[in-house]
């Protein structure tokens, strides 16, 4: 009788706890999984850019995570700023998010510099603010160097070095 | 009981009012710069205010540099004085200390050659005769004196730059003033309409059409967009919607009239060139042209929408009213820097007064904007705003009507509720 | 099995099956409310009705709203506002209602604090009320995203961006929450789901719990007097209505509430028709643009005080500066702000336990507590106003002082109330 009572209790609690834990855990995992970004989103979240295909001394614009990214391949040392540019092979590269640090307009490339049409801010080819209202240089996005490619969306040692300098 | 309710209500209203005033009028006054209300006078006032502001900003920057420099001068003077008061032995200590400090400079880190030469100098300083030390001291002092001279020179140079900036700004403002005074003079002249017609047909119709006079634009829209960025406007209604003084100013010098000095100059000219004259008195010729434009449009009546289409729709869409020309216009995007915004909801994004001010003088409301001053007169501006309101807030009239009905119903219910409450509470309270 | 007898009319018929007479007694005619109250006691009904207005107007909006980044803005501003019959009315009611419900919630909360209605057996009322405040906040935030205007977009970006500062998993958590690397279509649809299904259902559930939690401790009264409800209700039923300290929920209490409600609704609809601007930020009438940040980003007014606490800590603090451990990395301002933000939102839940005095009385009869009350109110108003101002110069300092004051007040509360308790004890002796 007493043993039966204990057994009943143990079994009842086991049923209750495991059913609850299993259901809640399963539900949690399910929600986690279906709220994860879609494969297409993840795919678009890491972009590899072939550097050899870029035109020299002119920005190439890439759409990346909802923002335009400018990449300039440079061979003229006069336009290189070692604190902002990264050397890969024979060329220096400036990589930056093309969104004005003033009010987020997209600057256009005009005569060797970026000019923001909205309020006249200017940035040099390394993204340093040189004129007008922008408070700071264009932001450098996270990148990694892989052979002759730049991979946007992953953090490499070169990026960490630029950000810390 | 009643008194308590009234007291509580007063306290709540007091705090809610403070909250409202703080979060709305006060916060907005802190976030947006004050703009003078548009008076549609078309004179130099607004432009010069902007110029003056720019000048002040520039001078502030200079003053900041000057202040830093003044501090440096003070420091140098103090050092010089200290040096002067040293006797020979004190100077020797000072010199050695200075060299030691130099050695610690990160610049010389791992530069053994440099450090060795500094060490040599320290030894020299330690062994030097008193007489010779005096010479070194004089040399040091001269160095400081030179430095102070240089800093004083820099300070004067900055003063010069400030004066130059002020003069340049004054010159610009005088030019703008002169320009608008002249526009006023032209606008006051008696116009010879037939001569105006000749002049307009000679100088303007190379790019502009005047459809009501049977003159077609020389280019189709696509070609015109490709060449100019936007289609040059048809001039049939220009005399009607644009201010007389502005038209005179525009023909005389489009860049100053439209206030686009930040976008165009001699190196990068505006698609519409200034009118250089046809041989006669240029002011009178411009007056004749304006007179002609006014004459051909004097009997025209334009609806609010027509004014908008004439004045704004070459760059701006209103997609809620089917005005869709600019959305994918790459030439326009290139010409203006980006696609100018769709104006369907602008009446609710901005206040009417802001729109008035912005249309009258875009640079004053939003410095650096690519939008030109279009020169609408007061009446046409109101028509444009009315049109925008009719699109962006089309239910205004219905809204006010319906709400008043709802409120009337609620007042009726409130009276019933009050009577019911009174009746019930009569037996609950003493 | 109940005794079968002839039914006499529809009410009888229902009574036999659902016990409607008993139900009406329990919920209405013999649900007892203290007599000694003022119009602040009507705020519960006002909130309930505002929620119903939001629910109904929300249903109407749902009929034409399209949760899709390409369609959302125009479905609201064109279809609903200008094409759907009375669509503008539903939208303005929804926007004004969302704003006003917070105003009334705050009044309701401060009423409870003033009269000590969170104490003794009323803790669960307070806690469920705070749960409602939090779910309403989530509801308001998710709803604000739906019109997909500039402020919708950037407020969503900034607020979801806060999760990036969670230690270790921050970045992944942010991407998971948004369903993308930036606020995008996936973010809009999942917040839409929260706004129209999950959160409203939760709110209804918690409202039921909130009402139920009133049942045993009963509603507080203006003096905090402990009333013997059995005795007083007996007096009332025996006809000594004037002497009795209680009234019936229906019709006595409701007759007062309906009158207050009418005044409130008149105010509500006047705002809907003529002054809805305060509830609809002008910047939100520009379509969302992920490439263009507005000049100023701020939440709606009811979030400003906690937003300002978040921003109030505008400088990094070197940890261990007081023990000379300068080499430890600085704690970034954002982390401190986030901690303070968490504190500010959670601390109100603990109010019944932070107040160590057992006396239920209005604040003006509780000595130092009344000062604490008004300081808290004024500090929160300052935080709200400065939460909207651009964070520059003197504004930063004011925000910091006000944030510290807020935290300080809650640290001071137990001390003040313990002193109050000790003083009461001494006087009792």
């Amino acid at each position: 009788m007493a043993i039966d009572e204990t057994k009943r209790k143990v079994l009842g609690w086991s049923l209750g706890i495991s059913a609850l834990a299993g259901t809640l855990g399963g539900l949690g995992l399910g929600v986690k999984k279906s709220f994860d970004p879609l494969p297409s989103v993840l795919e678009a979240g890491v972009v590899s850019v072939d550097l050899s295909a870029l035109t020299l001394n002119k920005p190439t614009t890439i759409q990346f995570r909802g923002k335009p990214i400018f990449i300039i391949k440079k061979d003229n040392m006069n336009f290189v700023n070692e604190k902002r540019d990264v050397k890969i092979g024979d060329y220096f590269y400036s990589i930056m998010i093309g969104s004005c640090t003033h009010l987020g307009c997209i600057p256009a490339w005009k005569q060797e510099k970026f000019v923001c049409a909205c309020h006249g801010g200017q940035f040099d080819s390394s993204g340093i603010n040189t004129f007008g209202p922008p408070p700071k240089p264009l932001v450098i996005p996270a990148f990694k160097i892989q052979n002759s490619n730049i991979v946007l969306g992953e953090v490499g040692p070169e990026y960490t070095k630029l950000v810390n300098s | 009981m009643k008194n308590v309710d009234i007291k509580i209500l007063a306290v709540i209203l007091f705090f809610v009012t403070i909250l409202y005033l703080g979060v709305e009028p006060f916060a907005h006054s802190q976030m947006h710069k004050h703009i003078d209300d548009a008076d549609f006078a078309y004179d130099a006032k607004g432009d010069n205010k902007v110029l003056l502001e720019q000048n002040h900003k520039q001078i502030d920057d200079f003053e900041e540099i000057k202040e830093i420099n003044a501090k440096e001068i003070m420091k140098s003077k103090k050092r010089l004085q200290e040096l002067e008061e040293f006797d020979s032995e004190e100077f020797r200590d000072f010199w050695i200390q200075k060299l030691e400090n130099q050695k610690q400079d990160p610049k010389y880190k791992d530069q053994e050659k440099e450090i060795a030469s500094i060490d040599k100098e320290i030894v020299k300083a330690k062994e030097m005769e008193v007489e010779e030390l005096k010479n070194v001291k004089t040399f040091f002092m001269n160095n400081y004196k030179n430095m102070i001279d240089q800093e004083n020179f820099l300070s004067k140079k900055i003063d010069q730059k400030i004066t130059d900036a002020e003069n340049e700004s004054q010159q610009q403002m005088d030019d703008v003033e002169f320009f608008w005074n002249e526009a006023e003079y032209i606008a006051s002249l008696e116009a010879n309409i037939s001569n105006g017609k000749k002049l307009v047909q000679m100088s303007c119709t190379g790019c502009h059409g005047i459809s009501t006079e049977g003159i077609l634009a020389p280019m189709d829209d696509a070609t015109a967009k490709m060449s100019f960025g936007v289609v040059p406007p048809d001039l049939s209604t220009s005399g009607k919607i644009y201010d007389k003084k502005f038209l005179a100013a525009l023909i005389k010098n489009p860049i100053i009239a439209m206030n686009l000095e930040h976008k165009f100059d001699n190196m990068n000219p505006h698609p519409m060139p200034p009118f250089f004259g046809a041989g006669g008195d240029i002011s009178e010729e411009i007056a004749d042209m304006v007179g002609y434009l006014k004459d051909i449009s004097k009997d025209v009546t334009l609806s609010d929408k027509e004014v908008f289409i004439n004045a704004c729709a070459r760059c701006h869409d209103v997609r809620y009213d089917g005005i869709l020309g600019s959305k994918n216009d790459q030439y326009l995007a290139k010409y203006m820097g980006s696609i100018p915004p769709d104006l369907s909801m602008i009446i609710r994004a901005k206040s009417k007064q802001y729109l008035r001010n912005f249309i009258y003088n875009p640079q004053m409301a939003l410095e650096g904007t690519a939008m030109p001053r279009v020169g609408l007169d007061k009446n046409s501006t109101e028509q444009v705003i009315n049109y925008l309101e009719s699109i962006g807030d089309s239910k205004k009239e219905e809204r006010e009507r319906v709400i008043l009905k709802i409120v009337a119903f609620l007042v009726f219910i409130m009276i019933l509720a009050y009577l019911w409450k009174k009746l019930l509470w009569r037996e609950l309270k003493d | 099995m109940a005794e079968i007898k002839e039914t006499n009319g529809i009410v009888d018929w229902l009574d036999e099956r659902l016990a409607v007479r008993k139900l009406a007694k329990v919920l209405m005619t013999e649900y007892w409310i203290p007599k000694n109250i003022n119009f602040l006691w009507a705020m519960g009904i006002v909130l309930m009705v505002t929620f119903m207005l939001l629910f109904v107007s929300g249903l109407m909006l749902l009929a034409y709203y399209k949760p899709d980044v390409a369609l959302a803005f125009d479905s609201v501003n064109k279809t609903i506002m200008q094409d759907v019959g009375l669509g503008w009315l539903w939208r303005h009611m929804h926007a004004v209602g969302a704003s006003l419900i917070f105003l009334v919630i705050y009044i309701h909360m401060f009423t409870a604090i003033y009269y000590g209605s969170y104490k003794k057996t009323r803790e669960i009322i307070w806690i469920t009320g705070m749960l409602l405040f939090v779910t309403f906040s989530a509801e308001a935030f998710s709803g604000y995203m739906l019109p997909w205007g500039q402020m919708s977009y950037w407020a969503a970006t900034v607020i979801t961006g806060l999760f990036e500062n969670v230690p270790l998993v921050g970045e992944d958590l942010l991407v998971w929450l948004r369903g993308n690397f930036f606020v995008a279509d996936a973010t809009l649809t999942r917040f839409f789901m929260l706004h129209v299904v999950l959160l409203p259902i939760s709110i209804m559930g918690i409202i039921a719990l909130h009402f139920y939690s009133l049942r045993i401790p009963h509603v507080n009264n203006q003096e905090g007097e402990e009333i013997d409800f059995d005795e007083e209700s007996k007096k009332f039923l025996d006809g000594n209505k004037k002497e009795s300290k209680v009234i019936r929920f229906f019709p006595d209490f409701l007759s007062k509430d309906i009158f207050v409600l009418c005044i409130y609704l008149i105010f509500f609809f006047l705002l809907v028709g003529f002054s809805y601007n305060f509830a609809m930020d002008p910047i939100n009438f520009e379509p969302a643009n992920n490439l263009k940040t507005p000049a100023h980003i701020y939440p709606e007014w009811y979030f400003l005080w906690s937003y300002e606490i978040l921003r109030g800590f505008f400088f990094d603090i070197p940890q261990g500066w007081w023990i000379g451990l300068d080499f430890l990395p600085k704690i970034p301002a954002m982390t401190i702000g986030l901690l303070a933000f968490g504190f500010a939102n959670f601390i109100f839940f603990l109010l019944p336990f932070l107040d160590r005095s057992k006396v239920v009385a209005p604040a003006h009869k509780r000595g130092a507590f009344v000062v604490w009350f008004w300081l808290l109110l004024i500090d929160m108003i300052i935080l709200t106003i400065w939460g909207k101002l651009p964070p520059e110069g003197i504004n930063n300092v004011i925000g910091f002082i006000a944030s510290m004051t807020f935290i300080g007040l809650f640290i001071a509360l137990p001390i003040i109330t313990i002193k109050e308790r000790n003083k009461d004890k001494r006087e009792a002796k």
Side-chain angles (χ1 to χ4, degrees), chain B residues 1 5 8 23-24 31 319-320 345 348-349 391 394-395 398-400 403 425 427-429, chain C residues 35 37-39 74 78 81-82 88 92 222 241-242 252 269 273-274 276 282 285 296 381 388:
Chain B
M1 277 297 269
D5 285 337
I8 293 170
V23 171
E24 286 289 307
M31 285 190 287
R319 65 180 187 282
Y320 291 179
M345 286 307 289
R348 300 202 62 171
I391 300 306
S394 59
K395 300 287 176 155
E398 186 193 25
R399 182 169 67 228
E400 285 162 11
I403 292 297
W425 279 68
E427 56 170 12
L428 296 177
K429 268 198 313 189
Chain C
K35 197 189 277 177
I37 53 174
N38 57 51
F39 82 89
D74 285 353
K78 175 77 168 107
M81 289 293 279
Q82 316 211 30
W88 57 266
H92 281 172
Q222 260 195 109
K241 292 185 180 179
K242 280 186 182 160
D252 310 330
F269 278 101
F274 301 100
Y276 43 79
F285 288 102
H296 304 281
I381 288 177
K388 194 159 183 178

Side-chain angles (χ1 to χ4, degrees), chain A residues 4-143:
Chain A
D4 267 5
E5 194 62 27
T6 321
K7 263 189 187 164
R8 238 179 251 149
K9 257 190 187 164
V10 169
L11 208 60
W13 279 103
S14 315
L15 168 68
I17 289 172
S18 43
L20 197 70
T23 314
L24 285 183
L27 190 65
L29 275 176
V31 171
K32 154 83 178 72
K33 269 230 158 264
S34 67
F35 268 39
D36 270 339
L38 303 178
S40 57
V41 168
L42 287 176
E43 230 167 77
V46 176
V47 176
S48 182
V49 185
D50 182 8
L51 296 176
S52 60
L54 300 182
T55 26
L56 209 54
N57 296 324
K58 255 193 185 158
T60 306
T61 310
I62 292 147
Q63 280 287 331
F64 171 69
R65 296 188 179 181
K67 290 194 176 76
I69 307 285
F70 298 148
I71 302 180
I72 314 180
K73 182 182 194 175
K74 297 174 180 175
D75 65 348
N76 186 343
M77 278 306 285
N78 291 333
F79 292 118
V80 169
N81 179 340
E82 300 211 21
K83 281 194 171 159
R84 301 264 315 169
D85 300 348
V86 58
K87 191 165 188 205
I88 307 168
D90 300 335
Y91 301 104
F92 277 91
Y93 294 87
S94 303
I95 307 161
M96 52 220 153
I97 298 176
S99 163
C100 179
T101 47
H102 177 224
L103 289 178
C105 298
I106 305 171
W109 181 251
K110 271 182 196 161
Q111 294 153 4
E112 307 302 311
K113 63 187 175 213
F114 292 105
V115 180
C116 186
C118 293
H119 306 98
Q122 291 182 8
F123 302 88
D124 70 10
S125 66
S126 296
I128 305 271
N129 46 322
T130 51
F131 178 80
K136 55 180 194 230
L138 294 176
V139 177
I140 302 176
F143 66 88

Side-chain angles (χ1 to χ4, degrees), chain C residues 185 273 279 357 371 398:
Chain C
D185 197 62
S357 161
V371 180
I398 294 175

Side-chain angles (χ1 to χ4, degrees), chain A residues 32 35-36 41 45 66 103-104, chain C residues 176 180-182 190 290-291 293:
Chain A
K32 154 83 178 72
F35 268 39
D36 270 339
V41 168
L103 289 178
Chain C
W176 179 77
N180 204 324
F181 296 99
F182 54 107
R190 65 185 54 179
N290 65 336
L291 299 175
T293 327

